[in-house]
Amino acid sequence: MRNKIEIKNLSVTYAAKGGQPFTALEDVSVTVADGEFVCVIGSSGCGKSTLLSVLGGLLPATAGSALIDGEPVRGTGTDRGVVFQHYSLFPWMTAKDNIAFGLKQAYRKMPADERARVADEYLEKVGLAGAGEKFPGQLSGGMQQRVAIARALAMDTDILLMDEPFGAIDAKNRTVLQELLLELWEGGAGGRKTIVFVTHDVDEAILLADRIVMLTNSPGRVGRVFDVPFARPRHRAELVRTHEYHALRDELMAIFFHDVGDKIGGAEVVL
Amino acid sequence: MKRKLVRFNTLLWVVLLAVQFLPDRTEKDALSPAMVWFVVGAGVFMTLLALRIKTAEGLQLHVDVFCAIFACLIAWTLATAKWNLMRESLFPAPGQVFTQMAEDYSKIFINIGSSLGIIAQGFVLGAVIAIPLGLFFGESARFGKAAGYIAVFLGAIPPVVYIPYGIALLPTFRSVSVFVIFLATFWPTLASTMSGVAHIERRVLDSARVLNVNRPTMLFRIVLPASLPSIFNGLGIGLTISFILLTSAEMIGSKAGMGYYVRYYSDFGDYTRTVVGIIIIGIVITAIMYGFNRLQRRLLRWRG
Ligand SMILES: Nc1ncnc2c1ncn2[C@@H]1O[C@H](COP(=O)(O)OP(=O)(O)O)[C@@H](O)[C@H]1O
Ligand SMILES: [Mg+2]
């Protein structure tokens, strides 16, 4: 399969602000195939957001390169949809206006009534048909993320970059949102989008990903890459009953917490 | 329905009406018919207002406010026109004041118009120049800091000190007033706009950047609304200072405006009209601040 995203020997160093320059990512190489769902997992501060910022065009690479469709990333672009953990939505625009604003950015020529129609359509897809006139502040965290996902999907970008989008959602709603995302992605008309999804939740990564890229800490490097071979469409309830799920989960957990232990101080740490 | 209408304020209203029929201290105060009509009008207004209120808290507020107004009017009427406790030349009775108000209404309207014209011109000019400048300086990494220091220094000078100099420089007293109001609005609005822009969450800006917005869109659809709460703080301060400055300025050297009206008649010892002017100034400023707050709540309704 064709590579949609190619990250080659990427390093990112934050400029010194009073202190030492800080290397957040070092020599990271990852490729993501067209239509692939890749989860990036790693403990807090290991550079996951930094990696996504480079792909989103918010941050330049210090060394190495990030290519999309073979071209180096130069700044932001509406070929990539981004969903953050917080503040993806603009609080002064209604849910519907937020989506319509995204559409206007992606399709400069789309007329206003068409934007409104598409916005409504995607609100309905994420189960928020009646909430279009509400401001983000009037919606729960889970509903806000639904709107943010609706906007990213409505813009119909090839690539979705998601930075812990469900990280601040309670467990029950997180499950619902994961299934919604899977459903929308697996059933996406015109082929599946390429998704890079950052999380620190091992279960979330296994449920969603085709492949899991594990970053290690200080400076962030690619630790290991795992294939997640489970058939799609996936359903959590069925998945967690299989032996393979638990085997993979145990392996990931062991490595994940081993790495965290290393970082804090090795063998003395009991987690 | 009944509980909405029969409350303590209704009782006070009846007392206020009854008090009007006590004998007056002098012939000059024998204006009870006018006061009676005024009281009846106030009663009708109060009732109509009560019928429009939906919440229990709103009704409570309504009752409390009218109780306070009626209690003041009762005390004022008794102390002046009825029991003659205060010196007549200094303390006009409410009947005199309201009658005078009705007689002078065209003069009052002209003076209000003059004051509001100056406020509107100076305030709008100040806001329209300060907000874009604030957005620009707040955004600019290079000029922002310097502009901040300069704004602190120049904004610290009370605009009232420019009045004598302004009189020498500018052709009319009216233009001096507009200039002073302009400054009173400009500095706080500039400072609050810059601070609003500087305190926008970086994540909000990132969310806009990943949508690939161009510079005008960034400025007007993202940065401006994001700093609007702070901008309104500055505008509110500017408006408050503007009223203080304008009424003072009108008392110093103007030939028009509500401040002029008050000073002119108090110079002649016409304290009835002085009180009229003071009450009218209170009403006008309250009404404008109410409108300003309504606008603010409307534009910031997304803050919930
Ligand atoms: N703008 C910045 N300047 C300096 N250091 C930063 C900056 N942003 C992030 N960092 C540091 O880089 C490291 C990686 O950050 P980040 O990519 O946000 O991690 P993650 O998303 O995995 O939690 C952290 O140690 C963080 O403190
Ligand atoms: Mg992060």
Side-chain angles (χ1 to χ4, degrees), chain B residues 176-188:
Chain B
V176 177
S177 304
V178 170
F179 176 66
V180 169
I181 303 298
F182 166 80
L183 289 178
T185 310
F186 180 83
W187 292 116

Side-chain angles (χ1 to χ4, degrees), chain A residues 11-241:
Chain A
S11 296
V12 175
T13 302
Y14 286 108
K17 217 181 198 176
Q20 295 282 319
F22 182 83
T23 302
L25 288 176
E26 194 166 77
D27 199 22
V28 168
S29 296
V30 177
T31 57
V32 181
D34 199 6
E36 194 179 21
F37 198 134
V38 167
C39 278
V40 176
I41 188 168
S43 50
S44 166
C46 72
K48 305 183 296 293
S49 297
T50 304
L51 182 67
L52 227 59
S53 295
V54 172
L55 289 177
L58 290 171
L59 196 66
T62 310
S65 60
L67 309 179
I68 286 175
D69 289 325
E71 295 284 323
V73 172
R74 278 203 199 84
T76 57
T78 46
D79 55 333
R80 285 150 283 162
V82 183
V83 179
F84 295 110
Q85 185 175 355
H86 294 289
Y87 289 108
S88 295
L89 302 178
F90 305 112
W92 50 88
M93 296 182 198
T94 62
K96 191 168 160 182
D97 287 345
N98 262 288
I99 301 176
F101 182 75
L103 285 167
K104 187 172 185 187
Q105 290 307 124
Y107 308 101
R108 303 262 171 199
K109 297 211 178 69
M110 187 185 275
D113 52 346
E114 175 74 359
R115 290 201 297 267
R117 192 191 61 71
V118 176
D120 277 335
E121 182 190 324
Y122 277 86
L123 276 172
E124 198 178 326
K125 277 192 191 184
V126 296
L128 287 179
E133 299 310 320
K134 290 225 164 79
F135 289 100
Q138 300 168 312
L139 300 172
S140 71
M143 286 153 101
Q144 291 178 28
Q145 289 310 71
R146 282 172 194 252
V147 179
I149 290 169
R151 180 172 70 192
L153 292 178
M155 289 168 70
D156 197 24
T157 53
D158 290 352
I159 297 174
L160 278 183
L161 306 172
M162 310 182 87
D163 192 353
E164 303 193 35
F166 309 145
I169 312 288
D170 63 275
K172 186 167 162 239
N173 274 304
R174 195 186 317 152
T175 310
V176 175
L177 285 169
Q178 287 162 354
E179 304 239 308
L180 173 72
L181 178 65
L182 268 187
E183 189 187 308
L184 292 172
W185 177 72
E186 286 168 346
R192 289 174 183 172
K193 297 178 186 309
T194 309
I195 300 187
V196 180
F197 185 108
V198 165
T199 176
H200 55 241
D201 178 342
V202 168
D203 293 297
E204 183 167 79
I206 300 176
L207 175 68
L208 299 175
D210 293 319
R211 258 183 327 136
I212 297 173
V213 174
M214 194 175 263
L215 292 186
T216 63
N217 225 318
S218 290
R221 293 165 177 276
V222 175
R224 279 181 60 183
V225 180
F226 298 85
D227 278 317
V228 186
F230 309 129
R232 294 187 189 270
R234 288 181 194 162
H235 297 284
R236 169 188 300 276
E238 293 161 24
L239 202 60
V240 296
R241 265 184 259 130

Side-chain angles (χ1 to χ4, degrees), chain B residues 195-211:
Chain B
S195 133
V197 174
H199 287 101
I200 301 176
E201 284 256 8
R202 224 202 64 204
R203 292 177 292 185
V204 170
L205 297 177
D206 277 350
S207 290
R209 285 171 64 201
V210 295
L211 290 175

